[in-house]
Amino acid sequence: MAALRLPRAPAMAALAGAGVPYRIPCQQHLLPPPVRALPNRAHLNALLTSYGRRGRIQDAQQLFDRMPHRDVISWTALLTAYADVGNLASARFVFDDMPLRNAASWNALVSLYLRAGRPAAAHALFCKAPAKNAVSYGAIITGLARAGMLREAQAVYWEMPPRWRDPVGSNAMIWGYLRGGELGMALRVFDGMAARDVISWSAMVDGLCKYGTVSEARRLFEAMPERNVVSWTSMIRGYVKHGMYRDGLLLFLDMRREGVQVNMITLSVVLDGCAQASLVDEGSQVHCLMIRMGFAEDIFLGDSLIIMYSRFGSMADARSLFSFMNQKDIVSWNSLITGYVQNDMIEDAHVLFKLMPEKDAISWTSMVVGFANRGWMRESVELFEQMPVKDEIAWAAVMSSLVANGNYVSAVRWFCQMSQEGCRPNTVAFSCLLSALASLAMLNQGLQAHAYAVNMGWIFDSAVHASLVTMYAKCGRLAEAHRVFSCISHPSLIATNSMITAFAQHGLAEDAFKLFNRMQYDGQRPNHVTFLGILTACARAGLVQHGYNYFESMRSVYGIQPNPDHYTCMVDLLGRAGFLNEALEMTNSMPQKDYPDAWKALLSSSSLHSNLDLAKLAAQRLLEIDPYDATAYTVLSNMFSSAGMKEDEEMVKVAQLSNMASKSPGYSLIIQDKTTENN
C-alpha cells in the first residue's frame, strides 16, 4: 500500500455531508426528533483498533479521517494498524504527523523497524524515545539479540531499570547469548535474575543441552519449579542430540505419566531418536500414539515418519505412508527420495525424482549424492550441472561424494572451483576439503586451511574442529591434533571420536582409553564411531582381552548393536594376535555373512601368520562375494610364491586373468534413460 499523508481532522459540516450523524438544533416549543447519539471517542478508538487487528486498513483509515476528535490513542491505533501489516512508510508518516506520542506509539514503530530487518534504525529510534516502559526495553533487547548485535543489546539491558529487567529483559539476553553460543554469559544472567519464569528455565535447559552437558541440563530441569511442553521437549531433544536415545524415550514416558500434553515438535523429536537408534518397536508405538492423538493427517509428522521408516530400512512402509498422505509437500517427496538413496535404491529414487511436481535444491542434491554413492560420478556431475540453482549444499554434496569415492585430488579442485564461481563455501564443504587434504597428507595446504578457518570464524564449528583434528593426525602431527582438540572447553562428540581415532591410529591405546572414560564423565555417551576407534586402538596395541570387554559392553552396557565394522575390528584384533580360529568364529558369527571387509581382515591375518589353509578359505569366500576382487588373488598368489608352490601361483594368476576377461561392462540407469529419451 502506498504511503499516505494524512489530512487534518475534518469539520463537522464535512462529517455531516459524509453521512456521519450529528445533533440538529431545535426550537424550545417543539419536541426534539429522535436522533442517534454520536459515538464517543472511546467507542471510535475501540472500533479503529478492531479494524487494525483484523487487517482492514482502508476501513481503519476512513474511520480515522472521519473522526471529529482524535487523541493519542486514535493516532497510536492507526499507527499500530499499519505496523501490523508491515507498511513501514505509512506507519512512519502517521508517526511523524502525530501531535502527541506515548510509549505505545514509539514501541509500535520500533517493533516495525525490527520486523523489517532494520535493527540499527530501531535502536536509533529507541534511543530518541522520551518515554520508555518494560515493553520498550524487552522489544529492543530481543530484536538486537536476534540480529546478533549483542553489544548493543547488553548496553540497553544494563540501562534498563532493574524493576523491569526480570524476566522479560533477562530472557531476551539469555536467548541472545545462547544464540551466539555464549553459554557462560547466559548462565551469568540467569543466576543474577531476581524473578524467573518457565521461559527462563526452559531456555537454559536448552542451552546446556546444546553447549554444555546433558547431566547439567538434567539437574537444572529437575530443579524447575514448573515445566511446560517446551521444557520437556528441550530436555528430550538434548538426549537425542547426544545419542542418549533410551534416556530420551524414558523421559518421554515420564512426560506422558505426568499428564503433559505433547505437541507435534515433541513427537517429531522422539521419532527422530527412534530413527537414529534403530528402535523399530518403539518407533512403531509412537506412530500408533500419533494416530490415537489425531495427528495421522499432519504433514509435518507424516514427513518424520517417512524419514524414520526409511532409516529402519522399511522402504515399503515409507512408500505406503507416502501414498496414503492426503496432502504432500515438497518435504514429503524429498524425504522418500532421500530414504531410497540411503537404502541404495537409486533406481526408485530416480523414478520418484522425475515424477515430482516441483523440485528444490534438496531434491537435486539427493539425486546427485545417490548417483555418487553408486560410484556413478560422471552421471552425478552431469546432474549437478543441470541444476537450475547451485547452492553451497549441492557443492558440498559433490565434494563429499568425491571424498567418499577416494577422489581426493578432485575434491580439492572442486573446492577451488566452487570459490572461483562465486559460491561461498560452507563448513561442510570446508570439512570435505580438510578430509581430502588429510588423506593426501598435504600438511602445508592443511596449515593454510586452518588459518582460513580461523579467519572465517569456523574454528568452533564441530565438523570443522573434528576435521582439523583428523587432518593433523593423518599428517603425523598428533601433538598439533591434540592441541586443536584441547582448545575447546566442550568438544562435540564428533571431535572426541576424531581424537580417540587419532590416538588409535598412532598406537596410543592408553590415551584413547583415558579420553573414552573422560567423555563419559563429561556427560557424553559413546556411539558406534567411538567404539570403532576404541576397538582399533585395541587391535593396534594387541590388547585382546580389552577388545573383548569393550565389544561385549556395547550391547550389555550401552545398548549399541555392533555393526559389521565392529565385527571386522574384532576379526583384525584376534587375527593380528594370532588367534586365527577365534577370528574365523567371529567372522562366522556376524549377522551379515557376506561382509567383504571382515574376510579381507581374516585373509590379511592368515598371510601375516602364514596360515595357507585359512587364507584359501578367506580368499574363496571373498571371490564368492566378488569374483573380481584383486586382493584375494594378490594375497593368495604371494603366499603360494612364498611357500614355493609355483604351480598353484600360476593357477591363481590364470584364474584372475580369466575372470577379468569375462567381466561385463557396467552401465547405469541415467544412461539408459538418456537412450530411451532420444528414441
Side-chain angles (χ1 to χ4, degrees):
M1 180 180 296
L4 300 175
R5 177 65 67 177
L6 300 170
R8 297 299 177 188
M12 287 295 292
L15 288 171
V20 176
Y22 66 101
R23 192 170 297 278
I24 302 174
C26 58
Q27 299 179 4
Q28 293 290 334
H29 63 278
L30 295 176
L31 290 174
V35 295
R36 192 169 52 189
L38 275 169
N40 63 34
R41 193 185 307 166
H43 291 157
L44 291 174
N45 286 342
L47 184 59
L48 181 58
T49 301
S50 176
Y51 283 149
R53 287 175 178 170
R54 287 181 285 171
R56 296 171 59 178
I57 302 302
Q58 288 185 343
D59 292 332
Q61 181 67 63
Q62 289 175 6
L63 176 61
F64 180 85
D65 292 342
R66 294 165 60 187
M67 289 178 66
H69 301 287
R70 304 162 183 157
D71 58 12
V72 68
I73 298 175
S74 316
W75 285 89
T76 303
L78 185 63
L79 169 63
T80 304
Y82 280 117
D84 288 344
V85 296
N87 192 333
L88 179 57
S90 294
R92 184 71 204 214
F93 276 137
V94 174
F95 183 82
D96 291 340
D97 281 348
M98 290 180 71
L100 183 66
R101 304 182 185 108
N102 60 10
S105 315
W106 290 88
N107 291 347
L109 194 59
V110 166
S111 298
L112 180 55
Y113 273 115
L114 290 171
R115 290 201 304 273
R118 298 177 60 182
H123 186 219
L125 190 67
F126 171 84
C127 293
K128 294 178 182 177
K132 302 182 180 77
N133 56 19
V135 176
S136 314
Y137 281 99
I140 193 63
I141 292 172
T142 302
L144 292 174
R146 287 184 174 174
M149 300 170 64
L150 285 180
R151 182 178 300 176
E152 292 82 356
Q154 188 176 28
V156 174
Y157 176 73
W158 292 116
E159 172 195 320
M160 186 178 186
R163 68 181 185 280
W164 292 342
R165 196 173 290 163
D166 298 330
V168 177
S170 296
N171 287 347
M173 283 308 303
I174 288 173
W175 185 91
Y177 282 132
L178 291 176
R179 188 172 181 268
E182 298 187 29
L183 178 61
M185 294 299 294
L187 281 169
R188 180 181 173 186
V189 173
F190 179 80
D191 292 338
M193 291 178 69
R196 303 172 182 137
D197 58 9
V198 68
I199 298 174
S200 320
W201 290 88
S202 299
M204 283 313 309
V205 167
D206 187 59
L208 286 168
C209 286
K210 289 178 179 176
Y211 306 109
T213 64
V214 179
S215 56
E216 291 175 315
R218 185 58 187 265
R219 281 194 293 271
L220 193 67
F221 177 81
E222 294 296 339
M224 291 182 69
E226 66 169 317
R227 306 182 188 115
N228 59 11
V229 63
V230 177
S231 319
W232 287 90
T233 303
S234 296
M235 193 66 240
I236 294 170
R237 185 189 289 112
Y239 279 128
V240 171
K241 179 190 173 187
H242 286 81
M244 304 169 69
Y245 306 113
R246 293 198 176 275
D247 296 279
L249 280 176
L250 290 174
L251 189 62
F252 176 70
L253 293 177
D254 291 341
M255 179 182 182
R256 296 279 295 156
R257 290 191 195 99
E258 293 198 13
V260 181
Q261 187 66 34
V262 303
N263 59 19
M264 292 183 297
I265 298 176
T266 312
L267 291 170
S268 177
V269 170
V270 174
L271 288 173
D272 185 46
C274 293
Q276 292 187 41
S278 300
L279 301 174
V280 180
D281 293 338
E282 291 83 351
S284 299
Q285 292 173 23
V286 176
H287 186 183
C288 293
L289 175 64
M290 284 172 46
I291 296 173
R292 291 202 305 271
M293 294 180 66
F295 288 125
E297 301 295 324
D298 184 81
I299 298 178
F300 175 70
L301 289 177
D303 297 341
S304 296
L305 284 169
I306 291 173
I307 294 170
M308 182 186 75
Y309 283 115
S310 296
R311 289 189 177 177
F312 291 163
S314 305
M315 290 310 301
D317 293 325
R319 181 63 196 237
S320 177
L321 271 167
F322 177 83
S323 300
F324 283 104
M325 289 176 70
N326 293 328
Q327 291 182 314
K328 303 179 183 74
D329 56 11
I330 195 167
V331 179
S332 313
W333 290 84
N334 287 341
S335 298
L336 189 59
I337 287 176
T338 303
Y340 280 135
V341 170
Q342 289 172 345
N343 287 275
D344 197 29
M345 300 171 68
I346 309 302
E347 294 82 359
D348 297 274
H350 192 228
V351 169
L352 194 65
F353 175 78
K354 294 195 294 184
L355 291 173
M356 289 184 73
E358 60 173 325
K359 303 177 180 72
D360 62 5
I362 296 175
S363 321
W364 287 90
T365 304
S366 296
M367 282 312 309
V368 167
V369 172
F371 286 140
N373 288 348
R374 276 284 182 90
W376 302 344
M377 287 308 303
R378 181 171 63 85
E379 290 80 5
S380 178
V381 172
E382 285 180 3
L383 192 65
F384 174 82
E385 296 295 343
Q386 296 172 23
M387 289 181 65
V389 179
K390 302 176 182 69
D391 59 9
E392 69 276 6
I393 299 175
W395 282 94
V398 175
M399 287 186 60
S400 178
S401 301
L402 289 168
V403 170
N405 284 278
N407 298 329
Y408 305 119
V409 175
S410 297
V412 175
R413 289 174 180 166
W414 203 265
F415 183 87
C416 297
Q417 183 182 346
M418 177 182 183
S419 301
Q420 290 169 1
E421 294 194 13
C423 185
R424 182 178 178 180
N426 58 11
T427 54
V428 178
F430 186 73
S431 297
C432 292
L433 173 68
L434 289 173
S435 298
L437 294 175
S439 299
L440 295 168
M442 300 174 70
L443 179 60
N444 289 336
Q445 289 80 359
L447 291 168
Q448 295 174 27
H450 189 173
Y452 180 80
V454 173
N455 291 334
M456 293 295 292
W458 290 344
I459 196 66
F460 296 105
D461 179 84
S462 59
V464 172
H465 184 222
S467 297
L468 282 170
V469 171
T470 302
M471 186 270 295
Y472 280 116
K474 285 190 175 181
C475 290
R477 296 290 192 91
L478 184 63
E480 188 65 20
H482 190 256
R483 189 190 68 78
V484 171
F485 174 78
S486 302
C487 73
I488 295 182
S489 56
H490 296 289
S492 66
L493 179 60
I494 300 172
T496 302
N497 287 341
S498 296
M499 196 66 238
I500 288 176
T501 302
F503 283 137
Q505 291 171 343
H506 285 77
L508 301 176
E510 288 299 326
D511 292 288
F513 299 157
K514 289 178 182 177
L515 185 54
F516 178 80
N517 293 330
R518 195 181 84 193
M519 68 179 285
Q520 296 175 79
Y521 177 80
D522 291 338
Q524 287 183 334
R525 191 173 182 85
N527 63 6
H528 289 84
V529 180
T530 314
F531 279 100
L532 276 177
I534 289 296
L535 293 176
T536 301
C538 294
R540 296 289 177 89
L543 301 173
V544 177
Q545 191 58 52
H546 280 73
Y548 257 120
N549 293 340
Y550 282 116
F551 183 76
E552 292 300 324
S553 70
M554 289 180 65
R555 273 182 293 238
S556 60
V557 178
Y558 300 96
I560 299 175
Q561 290 296 324
N563 64 28
D565 290 327
H566 298 108
Y567 279 95
T568 300
C569 280
M570 287 303 298
V571 172
D572 185 45
L573 167 63
L574 294 167
R576 282 171 180 259
F579 297 98
L580 296 179
N581 291 332
E582 290 79 359
L584 178 60
E585 290 178 9
M586 181 65 68
T587 307
N588 289 326
S589 69
M590 291 176 62
Q592 186 176 338
K593 304 295 183 184
D594 58 349
Y595 194 64
D597 287 351
W599 289 104
K600 286 180 182 179
L602 186 61
L603 177 60
S604 177
S605 298
S606 302
S607 175
L608 179 65
H609 294 283
S610 303
N611 190 321
L612 190 55
D613 291 335
L614 193 55
K616 288 180 182 179
L617 175 62
Q620 180 182 349
R621 292 303 303 272
L622 274 173
L623 294 173
E624 288 173 359
I625 298 168
D626 180 7
Y628 313 107
D629 189 297
T631 302
Y633 290 111
T634 302
V635 173
L636 205 56
S637 176
N638 291 338
M639 290 186 70
F640 280 136
S641 177
S642 299
M645 303 168 68
K646 296 297 181 182
E647 292 184 3
D648 295 281
E649 179 187 356
E650 291 299 324
M651 288 177 61
V652 170
K653 291 181 178 179
V654 169
Q656 182 179 12
L657 291 172
S658 176
N659 275 333
M660 294 304 294
S662 63
K663 184 176 182 180
S664 301
Y667 62 93
S668 66
L669 176 68
I670 188 76
I671 296 175
Q672 284 184 307
D673 288 340
K674 288 178 182 176
T675 306
T676 305
E677 290 169 3
N678 291 333
N679 291 338

